[in-house]
Structures are given as structure tokens and as C-alpha cells.
Amino acid sequence: MKEISDILVAYQKAKKERKKTALATVVKVEGSSYRRAGARMLITEDGQLTGAISGGCLEGDALRKALSAIHQQENKLVTYDTTDEEDAKFGIQLGCNGTVYILFEPIKDDVEVNPITILSELESKRECAVLATLFSLECKAQIGTCILLRSSGYTTATTTEINNKLLADLKEVLNDKTSKVEHYTLNEEPVIAFLEFINPPVSIIIAGAGNDAQPLAEMAYFLGWQVTVVDGRPTHATIQRFQKANRILVLKPDQLLTQIDIDEQTAFVLMTHNYNYDFDLLNRLLPTRAQYIGTLGPKKKLIRMLDELGLNTDENQSRVHGPIGLDIGAETAEEIAISIIAEIKAVFSGASAGLLKEKKAPIHVYD
């Protein structure tokens, strides 16, 4: 979501400055690639880039393709193939042994529903959504970013009738929470749809406003997470100490859950250095939908809290991450913050958090 948020901010700036723009989206990948389907980049007519569609190897050529799309005011699908020697001649050289399909869409400000307005809908509600981008490998005409589905309904930018199969697949992706690529025939033309499941950003609640919480709040902010800092001490929980936090709350544990919304994209970090505060809050968090709960401090502290709560079960020991973070040999507050952020990211991504060099399967799984 951070990339999309950055793109929306950049677009509003470009619009204010009356600069024309185009959106580049990776819609399909075969083999290996630095970025996978769903990566996006906004390009302005004067060459400003926001977001990324590769590790830097495609951006130069993508700029030229985007300017062409802006000039002609039509969507364009471009294929970059590492096995094609011509790509190397033109200096693209992906270096990833894969084929990447990128859709370029000029943003038409006079069109009420365009790719940017659809992306803006993602930020209007904190809900899961499915974004459909339609393209064709056989036809010149490209429909583009056109449908956003939520449980409450959908927004569409296409005049093409949404057939029952496409709508059913959108609902399936929303239910399964897994992106996929499907093939359809719309208006008697073959069309490929990248159906992208998008979660709302991670909401991290940092219970504790000590000095060691400051780098954690800043790192979470730079990842685009929604950051809330809560502490019972008004001298510690201040905007001067946590300038990157979205919310700062001075509350007791029994007040906190009435002030925040907890969903499956919520992570709690208990680091108040106050045993009673952490103890009370842990008791209230265990029954919630929070996907991640972590406690700073030794394992015996967590065991003691669960024992005193009468909740020391294998399930709860598995549910709570204590000691919090990955074993990277962290010592300083900044290093500990990295280990905590990395563990939370791994949990939400369903990743192993192991060394990539020891991974036998591809880093990313593509359709």
C-alpha cells in the first residue's frame, strides 16, 4: 500500500502543477523478476518517477514508453524479455531470467473514473479489496486498471460489460485473499485479467513510549504502516518524541481497546517496561483478531504472565511472540527495531524468515 499511497501523493502534486502523467503496472511475470505483478510506478511528462517496476533496469526504457503513451493518450502493453538479445542491445538487461509485461496507462483527468481514482478508493476505507487490471497479448486495445471490488460492492471504469465469470473470480480472490491471473473473452476478444488482492496497510500499535520505541515507530512509518503509540505517561507519549506516528494516545490498558479498531492487519508490540501494564494489556489482546502480538523481554516474562492469567497453553505461547523479533544479534534500539519489523513482516506475509540462499523454491511465486 505504501507504493500506491506515494503514487497518489505524487499524482496530486503533478496535477496541481498541470503535468501529464502515466501509470505503469507490472501485470504479469514469467520466470524471475525483481518486482512481481502489482508493482507500480507513476511517470510525469517531465520524467519524475514515483514507485518502481524493477530494480532500476527497466525504468529508463519505461520512461520512454510512458511518454509515448501520454503523447498518444492510449494504453500500451510492453513486454521485456531477458532471453531476447535485442533487449540487451538497448541496455535493458533485466538480469533476472524472466519476462515482464508492463501496462502503461495515461491518466486522463477529464475522465471521472480513471486508474488513479480507482487506486484512491483503496485509501477511502480500511478494508480488503481486489483490483482488476485487464490487458491483452493479442489485441492492441488495452482496457487497463478498471475494477475495484470490496465486500460492499465495486467501482468500475470500463464500459465493457463485466461478465458473471469475471465477477465470480473477483469474489473468489476476495474470499481466498490470493491474487491470480485469469483469461476471458469480452466483446469477442481474448482478455487477460490480473486480479490483485490488496490488504489494508499494517496497523502497528506500540504500547510503550520509551526511547527504544522511537526507532520502531519511525521504521514502521517508512514502510507505510499506520503507527499508533500508546503509553500511560503523558511525559513520554508526545508528538515531539514520536513525530512520525499517526496517533499518540495516553491511556491505561482498560481504555485502549475502546479507542482503536483491531482487525487481521493489526500488530501489537508490548514494550512499556512496566510489567503490570503489559500484563493487563496482554490479557485483553489474546481474544482479539490481532494477527500479531509481541512482548519485549525474556521468554520467562511471557511464561509468567500467561501463568498468572491462567492462560499458559501451547496455543497462546504460539500466538504471542516473546521474546519479540528475529535472532539477528540485535543490541541497540535501532537493531532491535529492525528485528521486530522483520518478524512482523514475515508473519503477515506468511514467510519463513529464513536465509534466502537456503530457500529451494523461487523467491516469489508467479502465475
Side-chain angles (χ1 to χ4, degrees), residues 203-258:
S203 172
I204 181 171
I205 318 296
I206 304 172
N211 293 343
D212 54 349
Q214 290 176 308
L216 178 61
E218 291 205 9
M219 291 180 191
Y221 166 82
F222 284 119
L223 288 178
W225 295 0
Q226 295 178 352
V227 182
T228 298
V229 176
V230 60
D231 198 296
R233 301 167 293 179
T235 56
H236 286 63
T238 66
I239 186 62
Q240 290 76 21
R241 288 170 53 78
F242 293 92
Q243 298 182 24
K244 302 298 185 182
N246 301 93
R247 295 179 73 191
I248 300 173
L249 304 172
V250 180
L251 298 171
K252 296 178 180 179
D254 61 343
Q255 300 170 313
L256 178 57
L257 268 59
T258 64

Side-chain angles (χ1 to χ4, degrees), residues 95-244:
C96 295
N97 195 29
T99 303
V100 183
Y101 299 85
I102 299 177
L103 183 66
F104 294 88
E105 303 173 84
I107 306 303
K108 302 174 183 178
D109 296 331
D110 58 342
V111 177
E112 183 179 358
V113 183
N114 59 44
I116 290 296
T117 59
I118 288 181
L119 292 180
S120 298
E121 279 289 309
L122 286 168
E123 290 195 329
S124 66
K125 297 179 182 178
R126 186 175 169 80
E127 293 180 10
C128 299
V130 182
L131 187 63
T133 305
L134 276 57
F135 61 100
S136 175
L137 302 181
E138 301 178 30
C139 306
K140 182 179 179 181
Q142 306 292 336
I143 297 175
T145 305
C146 60
I147 306 170
L148 181 72
L149 175 76
R150 285 196 174 101
S151 58
S152 56
Y154 64 84
T155 301
T156 179
T158 178
T159 56
T160 301
E161 181 181 355
I162 302 175
N163 65 26
N164 292 334
K165 179 66 166 63
L166 173 55
L167 189 56
D169 286 338
L170 284 165
K171 292 178 179 177
E172 181 181 326
V173 170
L174 186 63
N175 183 63
D176 295 344
K177 301 183 178 181
T178 304
S179 303
K180 66 178 180 178
V181 173
E182 291 289 347
H183 296 254
Y184 307 95
T185 300
L186 299 180
N187 294 340
E188 301 182 351
E189 297 288 352
V191 172
I192 303 174
F194 171 47
L195 308 180
E196 181 185 7
F197 177 77
I198 300 179
N199 263 318
V202 172
S203 172
I204 181 171
I205 318 296
I206 304 172
N211 293 343
D212 54 349
Q214 290 176 308
L216 178 61
E218 291 205 9
M219 291 180 191
Y221 166 82
F222 284 119
L223 288 178
W225 295 0
Q226 295 178 352
V227 182
T228 298
V229 176
V230 60
D231 198 296
R233 301 167 293 179
T235 56
H236 286 63
T238 66
I239 186 62
Q240 290 76 21
R241 288 170 53 78
F242 293 92
Q243 298 182 24
K244 302 298 185 182

Side-chain angles (χ1 to χ4, degrees), residues 63-78:
L63 173 59
R64 291 188 287 272
K65 298 296 193 298
L67 294 178
S68 174
I70 291 172
H71 176 72
Q72 297 179 25
Q73 285 294 286
E74 65 178 25
N75 296 349
K76 295 179 177 293
L77 183 72
V78 178

